[in-house]
Amino acid sequence: MARLRAALIGATGLAGQQFIAALKDHPFIELTGLAASPRSAGKTYAEALKTASGMTAWFVPEPLPAAIAGMKVVAGDALEAKDYDLVFSAVEADVARELEPKLARDIPVFSAASAFRYEDDVPLLIPPVNAGHAPLIREQQRRRGWKGYVVPIPNCTTTGLAVTLAPLVERFGVKAVLMTSLQAMSGAGRSPGVIGMDILDNVIPYIPKEEHKVEVETKKILGALRPGGEGLTPHDLRVSCTCTRVAVMEGHTESVFVSLEKKATVAEVTQALREWKGAELARGLPSAAPRWIEVLDDPFRPQPRLDRDTHGGMATTVGRIREDGVLENGFKYVLVSHNTKMGAARGAILVAELLRAQGLLG
């Protein structure tokens, strides 16, 4: 099988490092180009990671692959689409807004940035949840005159929530969702990141723009592709959330309250979550989890330290499923989702795998 040549923009950042770790030994995607800021251009990747103190700023648990360490880094605006089959983007939204369309004119771009998430002709994909939205990229290509396309992944906080809501929407219908998140420090990256003196012994009760992202993205992901594939109709459920930052390195915890359209029991809700398989096409992808949701009976679980790496960080772990006496047909539960794996790099790679399986890549 011919391997697809991939470039990575934002290679030196924390999200970029997660992409590098996740793509090692991938069966059909080969990382052949690295791009970062102009200050890294011309250096090897290992040199670009060196700080002024001499530390190698590689922050993921997996070792840095030797082949990547010796690869030359170029500036993001120097990437040539003709040299690659696809691009992964791990840059901030303002940089993504400039660089991603230039590349998408010719090749697909899979992005962890928010720059294009809310545009009408852009699908926001979680493969087990809404694989059927992928054909919207044909409308994007038609409107913009591109050979490629931009497909962003959702905000990492949205991902775990949407995954757990999908089986409830399918089985019972969902009218409203209330959620409070306790989000890991890695979600803010390292530059500027979260200052240790601010987060230790503390909870930061506000993350700029995060709550709006969750509310809008959840409705879009759970929505429906319009007839003719010309856009998406958002789901009409109501979503309200409070997003906070806590002193946890990896793994977002969320406390979720759901109002169902139909009456149900705890056993039925638990069964719906436990038995959910998601889109059939997503199950056999190289990065797929054997189960997208794991339900735990222990009332002290899930916990980020114990459960974030379930199935390689690609599963959402759920526990404490209970009836709620305030909401109509109300239930509540706690979830843990890995924000830099399923919620970022591995999630974007999973989307690329899905589009290839659908004949929309390569």
Side-chain angles (χ1 to χ4, degrees), residues 150 261 289 319:
V150 173
E261 290 182 355

Side-chain angles (χ1 to χ4, degrees), residues 15-361:
Q17 293 178 24
Q18 288 281 3
F19 273 102
I20 290 170
L23 286 168
K24 185 179 184 295
D25 300 324
H26 193 278
F28 60 79
I29 299 174
E30 181 179 6
L31 191 55
T32 58
L34 302 175
S37 63
R39 67 177 176 273
S40 297
K43 300 176 181 178
T44 67
Y45 187 69
E47 291 169 342
L49 291 179
K50 287 285 186 184
T51 67
S53 65
M55 178 181 71
T56 298
W58 175 258
F59 295 112
V60 299
E62 298 85 353
L64 172 61
I68 300 297
M71 193 179 293
K72 287 286 186 180
V73 178
V74 301
D77 57 7
L79 278 183
E80 296 282 350
K82 64 181 178 59
D83 296 327
Y84 306 99
D85 300 304
L86 70 156
V87 172
F88 292 108
S89 176
V91 294
E92 295 296 327
D94 55 345
V95 179
R97 177 67 65 178
E98 179 182 350
L99 291 182
E100 291 178 0
K102 293 178 181 178
L103 294 161
R105 293 189 187 110
D106 296 295
I107 58 175
V109 177
F110 298 92
S111 177
S114 64
F116 293 93
R117 285 179 190 157
Y118 312 113
E119 303 201 9
D120 193 50
D121 60 351
V122 176
L124 193 56
L125 295 176
I126 303 175
V129 176
N130 62 340
H133 292 183
L136 183 59
I137 65 172
R138 295 304 190 203
E139 176 67 12
Q140 182 186 142
Q141 291 172 317
R142 186 190 68 79
R143 289 188 190 182
R144 301 177 189 236
W146 291 350
K147 295 178 183 176
Y149 47 80
V150 173
V151 177
I153 60 169
N155 175 273
C156 53
T157 316
T158 304
T159 299
L161 179 63
V163 166
T164 60
L165 290 177
L168 303 182
V169 168
E170 291 175 13
R171 185 77 64 92
F172 311 107
V174 172
K175 293 188 292 186
V177 180
L178 303 173
M179 185 272 283
T180 298
S181 68
L182 296 88
Q183 295 181 216
M185 296 163 61
S186 57
R190 293 192 63 90
S191 180
V194 181
I195 299 172
M197 286 291 289
D198 290 344
I199 194 70
L200 291 175
D201 191 35
N202 203 13
V203 173
I204 299 174
Y206 174 60
I207 303 173
K209 302 180 181 179
E210 195 82 354
E211 292 158 2
H212 176 73
K213 290 177 182 178
V214 173
E215 292 167 3
V216 173
E217 292 174 21
T218 301
K219 295 163 72 73
K220 182 172 183 177
I221 292 163
L222 297 174
L225 190 65
R226 295 174 198 151
E230 297 178 354
L232 295 168
T233 300
H235 197 287
D236 61 0
L237 82 168
R238 302 185 304 279
V239 183
S240 178
C241 62
T242 297
C243 295
T244 74
R245 188 80 67 192
V246 297
V248 170
M249 287 297 294
E250 300 271 14
H252 288 352
T253 302
E254 300 176 24
S255 176
V256 184
F257 294 72
V258 182
S259 175
L260 303 179
E261 290 182 355
K262 301 177 183 177
K263 288 187 179 296
T265 65
V266 169
E268 289 169 335
V269 170
T270 301
Q271 182 182 34
L273 292 167
R274 189 166 269 153
E275 294 182 352
W276 186 71
K277 292 180 171 59
E280 184 175 357
L281 193 58
R283 295 174 208 161
L285 301 175
S287 299
R291 287 177 298 280
W292 300 108
I293 299 173
E294 288 287 1
V295 179
L296 303 179
D297 296 322
D298 184 339
F300 291 90
R301 303 277 287 276
Q303 298 177 26
R305 191 169 63 186
L306 299 178
D307 299 306
R308 59 194 171 206
D309 286 311
T310 300
H311 301 320
M314 297 301 285
T316 300
T317 306
V318 174
R320 300 209 67 210
I321 302 170
R322 299 152 288 153
E323 289 187 8
D324 177 75
V326 175
L327 298 176
E328 183 181 5
N329 301 327
F331 288 85
K332 51 194 173 186
Y333 57 89
V334 176
L335 71 83
V336 166
S337 178
H338 202 303
N339 55 297
T340 60
K341 291 185 177 179
M342 182 59 171
R346 292 181 188 270
I349 294 166
L350 186 73
V351 171
E353 295 168 355
L354 172 72
L355 295 192
R356 182 178 179 276
Q358 292 175 311
L360 298 169
L361 172 66

